[in-house]
Amino acid sequence: MSQLQAGNDAPREIIRAEGIRKTFTLSRKQRKLEKSETGKKVALDGLSFTAYEGEIYGLLGPNGAGKTTMLRILSTLIRPDEGDAFIAGHSVVKEPEKVRASIGFLTSELKLEDFFTPAYLFGFFGKLHGMDEQTLEKRRGELFSRFGIDKFAEVKVGDLSTGMKQKVSIAISILHDPSVIIFDEPTNGLDVLTAKVVTDFLSEQKAQGKSIIVSTHIFSLVEKLCDRVGVIIGGRMAAEGSLADVSGGKPLEDAFFDLYKRTVTGV
Amino acid sequence: MSNILTIIKKEFSRFFRDRRLVIGTLLLPGLLIFVLYTLMGSVFADTSETYTAKVVNPSEAFASLVAPEGEDAAILLSEIEESDLDAAKAEVKNGDADLVIVFPEGFDQALAGGQTYPVGQAPNVEVWYDSGSASSSAAYNLVYSLLDGLENSLSNMFDVNFAGGGDLVSAAEAEASYYAMLLPFLILTFLYSGCMGIAPESIAGEKERGTIATLLVTPVKRSELVMGKIASLSVLSALSAISSFIGTFLALPKLIGGSIGSAFASYSAGQYFALFAVMLSAVLIIVSLISIISSFAKSVKEATSLSVPLMVIVMLVGISTMLFTTHAHAAFLIPVYNCVQVMAEIFSMQFSWVNLAITLGSNLVYIVLLVWVLTKMFKSEKVIFNS
Ligand SMILES: Nc1ncnc2c1ncn2[C@@H]1O[C@H](COP(=O)(O)OP(=O)(O)OP(=O)(O)O)[C@@H](O)[C@H]1O
Ligand SMILES: [Mg+2]
């Protein structure tokens, strides 16, 4: 947090990951698929990065790079084997409840109960975040109209379309108005219209001073949205910096291919 | 605390707004048990049938045994003349009557005389029956045992319980001891099966569907989540058990006679309180155990099948009261077994506060321990994400 005391213009650290290592034990089936002798899969291999307050940070990486694993660690769903990460100064290892109270986390693995309606679930999760009835009501009005959920507020989640489900998930993930938003592949499986609703929303949140971290393998999304990028390949940070730094004047996609070749072949 | 309440409320909404769950766990068990026991009752109902017997030279002493004052006669006796004997035997043969009993003339006076005879010279009571007919055979056995009892109490050097003495048990107590054996087993089985219908769905089901992870990224403490789940599942399991119990309450008397109601009427408020406390601790232990099994399992199916072996053990412990009872205090430290034994003590009116205290105290320790284990499991990504 050294930046804290620095001048007004210096950005403040909001998320810092330090040497995060995470190994999964593979099941017998996975072992064959991964052709792993040891039965272990190193998903994150000493990953470090820093995101600053008020920016959108993009975690870019190919399938299996470890993006979701990193974000799950930030959300305290899983624990790192080594290293620690800090969100607004709270350690994900030592103060998981404080971390959870300050973040809004979205990933495809978090499901909503099919049986309940968006309105009910909004109320339920709102109470778990300690919100009172009035604030909750107001917030629900805002978010439901923002995402066009109003008409579906009383439809069971199980009966909603994929896109509407994703919008409900987003609304619920940030209902407590967190200062840090962590979205894993937020536009996956969405049509361009719905995807735009999501990216517009993220830009809006940034404008309100929120800090955002998104993971994706979609270059255009990073180019459109992100201030800074971290490129993860094989569980390691291959490059980190502003969008301009990382792409180095080329389209991001080309820069990524170069990076990938260099990292994988070790040249 | 408020988080626990929020979770309990959600679990209740999940349950009570789902007609399938309500019917499946609250209505059907009671209904099925009622129908099943009533059907079984109608098959075995013959035990309480009244039989008909034709009697030559009726005996007052015998008649008073057949129909003690204030009770319905088990056998309807009707007098016939000795000349009608053959016709009466024919009635027994064709099923119109169950028995023909022929007392020797002056049977009652002979009894009153208290005279004894050498073997083979005593007055003979003839009982004619039809072993081909179930009801005739049953009536024969009944009459035979009554006469045998009558003879034993009369013809010897002294009487036992003839002119005085007798069984001091009241009707309620007699039924109580009968139900004392059965009820702990039934209660435990109902609680367990009620819980098995709910807990796997609520824990393994949430894991399977990925909805538990959504809860885990809220600031809720894992321990609050566990306590909310256990509290709500306990209430729902208890409701399901109550449904089964109502079915039993209504149908069991048809099956085995007597009435649970009159068995219950004889308990004091203190005994009811004790019973409630024991059942509460039993339900919490059972729910915690099944919840732990369910959080290990990857799916509802797996959770349910993993719970079956434990159910067998719990049911075996449940019938232990029919085989033996302990009064050794240390035995009341054994979970589940202690509940069964204390319930049996309460039902059979041989209730000890010390054993109750040991049971409740040790169960409280077990419950705290199980909640702690479950909290640990909810904190473990290996358990929650099966990784
Ligand atoms: N629970 C798990 N058990 C075993 N291996 C796992 C587990 N979770 C992740 N992995 C492995 O760790 C690696 C990183 O996975 P992760 O999901 O973080 O990748 P990702 O960058 O999010 O990929 P994608 O773009 O496909 O979502 C992969 O090789 C994956 O197979
Ligand atoms: Mg991923």
Side-chain angles (χ1 to χ4, degrees):
Chain A
M1 305 247 84
S2 52
Q3 276 87 349
L4 241 166
Q5 289 85 12
N8 285 341
D9 298 340
R12 228 171 69 148
E13 274 181 9
I14 191 81
I15 299 172
R16 193 175 75 243
E18 288 175 354
I20 301 278
R21 208 181 141 78
K22 181 71 187 177
T23 310
F24 290 110
T25 315
L26 297 176
S27 67
R28 219 167 293 146
K29 251 188 235 159
Q30 285 174 312
R31 223 172 280 183
K32 272 193 200 134
L33 285 173
E34 299 264 346
K35 298 194 188 76
S36 161
E37 302 279 301
T38 56
K40 300 268 184 194
K41 165 79 195 178
V42 179
L44 294 176
D45 191 6
L47 193 74
S48 303
F49 69 91
T50 309
Y52 298 100
E53 195 166 37
E55 72 175 11
I56 300 187
Y57 185 97
L59 270 187
L60 186 64
N63 293 136
K67 304 180 295 291
T68 302
T69 306
M70 184 61 233
L71 297 190
R72 287 172 83 203
I73 287 173
L74 290 181
S75 75
T76 79
L77 269 185
I78 61 176
R79 241 179 259 255
D81 300 338
E82 278 170 38
D84 199 348
F86 301 86
I87 294 184
H90 302 298
S91 154
V92 295
V93 177
K94 297 193 197 83
E95 308 163 280
E97 275 123 28
K98 282 193 180 141
V99 168
R100 289 201 293 272
S102 55
I103 63 167
F105 181 50
L106 179 83
T107 177
S108 61
E109 146 190 62
L110 306 184
K111 299 281 178 10
L112 297 174
E113 272 184 79
D114 282 350
F115 180 80
F116 290 112
T117 63
Y120 180 90
L121 288 172
F122 199 92
F124 171 63
F125 285 105
K127 279 186 210 114
L128 291 184
H129 277 286
M131 293 165 74
D132 63 68
E133 206 65 57
Q134 234 175 335
T135 325
L136 204 55
E137 195 65 33
K138 188 163 158 280
R139 186 78 175 145
R140 186 169 67 195
E142 280 167 25
L143 288 172
F144 276 22
S145 68
R146 176 71 185 73
F147 288 105
I149 302 170
D150 326 51
K151 273 180 283 172
F152 301 91
E154 299 300 339
V155 178
K156 286 186 180 180
V157 168
D159 298 330
L160 296 176
S161 69
T162 314
M164 188 49 68
K165 257 186 221 172
Q166 177 79 339
K167 289 189 215 170
V168 174
S169 285
I170 291 175
I172 285 176
S173 73
I174 44 100
L175 59 83
H176 52 302
D177 202 12
S179 58
V180 177
I181 296 175
I182 303 175
F183 278 8
D184 183 28
E185 316 257 14
T187 58
N188 250 20
L190 301 183
D191 64 41
V192 282
L193 294 175
T194 320
K196 188 165 163 25
V197 174
V198 175
T199 48
D200 287 351
F201 175 75
L202 287 175
S203 303
E204 235 173 73
Q205 292 292 303
K206 178 189 158 186
Q208 287 175 21
K210 301 282 154 63
S211 313
I212 298 160
I213 174 165
V214 286
S215 86
T216 183
H217 52 253
I218 305 170
F219 297 99
S220 59
L221 186 73
V222 176
E223 286 172 323
K224 217 178 335 168
L225 210 58
C226 298
D227 303 298
R228 288 185 345 110
V229 210
V231 181
I232 306 186
I233 295 173
R236 287 190 200 153
M237 195 56 82
E240 193 188 13
S242 70
L243 194 56
D245 290 347
V246 172
S247 36
K250 285 186 263 189
L252 187 58
E253 203 169 325
D254 297 341
F256 172 77
F257 284 133
D258 293 346
L259 201 57
Y260 188 77
K261 248 185 267 165
R262 249 184 291 145
T263 313
V264 173
T265 57
V267 179
Chain B
M1 191 61 206
S2 82
N3 281 343
I4 298 179
L5 285 179
T6 306
I7 286 164
I8 293 176
K9 264 209 301 241
K10 189 216 94 186
E11 292 288 321
F12 283 174
S13 300
R14 175 71 190 87
F15 183 86
F16 288 107
R17 289 185 193 186
D18 192 335
R19 208 174 309 147
R20 192 181 53 89
L21 274 179
V22 171
I23 292 175
T25 35
L26 292 191
L27 272 176
L28 276 185
L31 200 66
L32 278 180
I33 284 171
F34 179 77
V35 171
L36 192 71
Y37 284 5
T38 308
L39 282 178
M40 280 163 68
S42 68
V43 173
F44 298 123
D46 284 357
T47 48
S48 57
E49 206 179 42
T50 44
Y51 307 108
T52 53
K54 309 274 176 182
V55 188
V56 179
N57 298 327
S59 149
E60 297 259 329
F62 178 71
S64 69
L65 275 182
V66 169
E69 252 176 276
E71 285 184 33
D72 290 337
I75 306 170
L76 283 178
L77 303 171
S78 56
E79 185 176 357
I80 54 164
E81 294 301 317
E82 190 154 9
S83 54
D84 295 332
L85 188 57
D86 285 335
K89 284 181 189 171
E91 280 186 51
V92 171
K93 191 77 196 72
N94 68 27
D96 290 336
D98 293 310
L99 291 178
V100 176
I101 308 171
V102 183
F103 288 101
E105 266 181 70
F107 182 69
D108 284 337
Q109 288 92 317
L111 292 185
Q115 203 180 336
T116 55
Y117 301 87
V119 173
Q121 290 174 29
N124 182 47
V125 180
E126 299 171 15
V127 183
W128 300 93
Y129 69 107
D130 176 10
S131 67
S133 147
S135 72
S136 180
S137 302
Y140 172 72
N141 285 331
L142 179 60
V143 165
Y144 186 90
S145 65
L146 286 174
L147 287 171
D148 204 36
L150 184 63
E151 192 209 19
N152 279 341
S153 62
L154 281 177
S155 62
N156 295 304
M157 309 309 271
F158 58 87
D159 292 332
V160 177
N161 283 352
F162 183 64
D167 192 350
L168 294 177
V169 75
S170 69
E173 278 172 344
E175 274 161 23
S177 80
Y178 198 51
Y179 285 109
M181 296 191 307
L182 202 56
L183 284 178
F185 168 74
L186 288 178
I187 289 173
L188 221 58
T189 308
F190 292 160
L191 283 177
Y192 198 97
S193 54
C195 179
M196 229 168 98
I198 300 164
E201 180 64 30
S202 168
I203 294 182
E206 284 223 38
K207 250 179 79 175
E208 196 180 359
R209 294 188 296 270
T211 52
I212 201 137
T214 317
L215 270 173
L216 293 178
V217 294
T218 64
V220 173
K221 289 203 177 76
R222 272 52 171 160
S223 54
E224 293 175 324
L225 182 56
V226 164
M227 284 189 263
K229 285 263 183 198
I230 287 185
S232 49
L233 292 176
S234 296
V235 171
L236 295 175
S237 304
L239 286 180
S240 170
I242 287 171
S243 153
S244 304
F245 201 77
I246 291 174
T248 311
F249 190 88
L250 296 176
L252 204 56
K254 293 194 177 115
L255 183 58
I256 57 177
S259 111
I260 302 184
S262 66
F264 275 143
S266 46
Y267 302 129
S268 69
Q271 283 169 314
Y272 270 111
F273 168 76
L275 197 59
F276 177 77
V278 172
M279 290 204 270
L280 184 67
S281 73
V283 74
L284 285 169
I285 286 191
I286 289 173
V287 166
S288 309
L289 285 173
I290 299 183
S291 298
I292 288 176
I293 292 174
S294 299
S295 54
F296 262 120
K298 291 186 174 68
S299 65
V300 179
K301 245 193 204 157
E302 194 184 335
T304 312
S305 51
L306 285 176
S307 306
V308 171
L310 185 63
M311 176 161 196
V312 174
I313 294 172
V314 166
M315 286 172 76
L316 284 178
V317 172
I319 58 169
S320 67
T321 48
M322 303 185 192
L323 309 174
F324 56 89
T325 49
T326 354
H327 296 287
H329 293 321
F332 290 83
L333 289 170
I334 307 170
V336 183
Y337 177 78
N338 58 12
C339 298
V340 177
Q341 291 295 332
V342 169
M343 282 195 268
E345 283 191 2
I346 296 171
F347 289 131
S348 60
M349 318 246 167
Q350 295 165 343
F351 163 64
S352 132
W353 285 102
V354 179
N355 290 341
L356 176 73
I358 297 174
T359 299
L360 293 181
S362 60
N363 283 356
L364 188 65
V365 174
Y366 298 131
I367 292 162
V368 169
L369 213 69
L370 290 173
V371 167
W372 180 80
V373 168
L374 197 56
T375 306
K376 275 265 171 230
M377 294 179 68
F378 270 50
K379 281 182 183 166
S380 156
E381 56 189 77
K382 284 208 170 56
V383 170
I384 294 295
F385 299 110
N386 300 317
S387 61

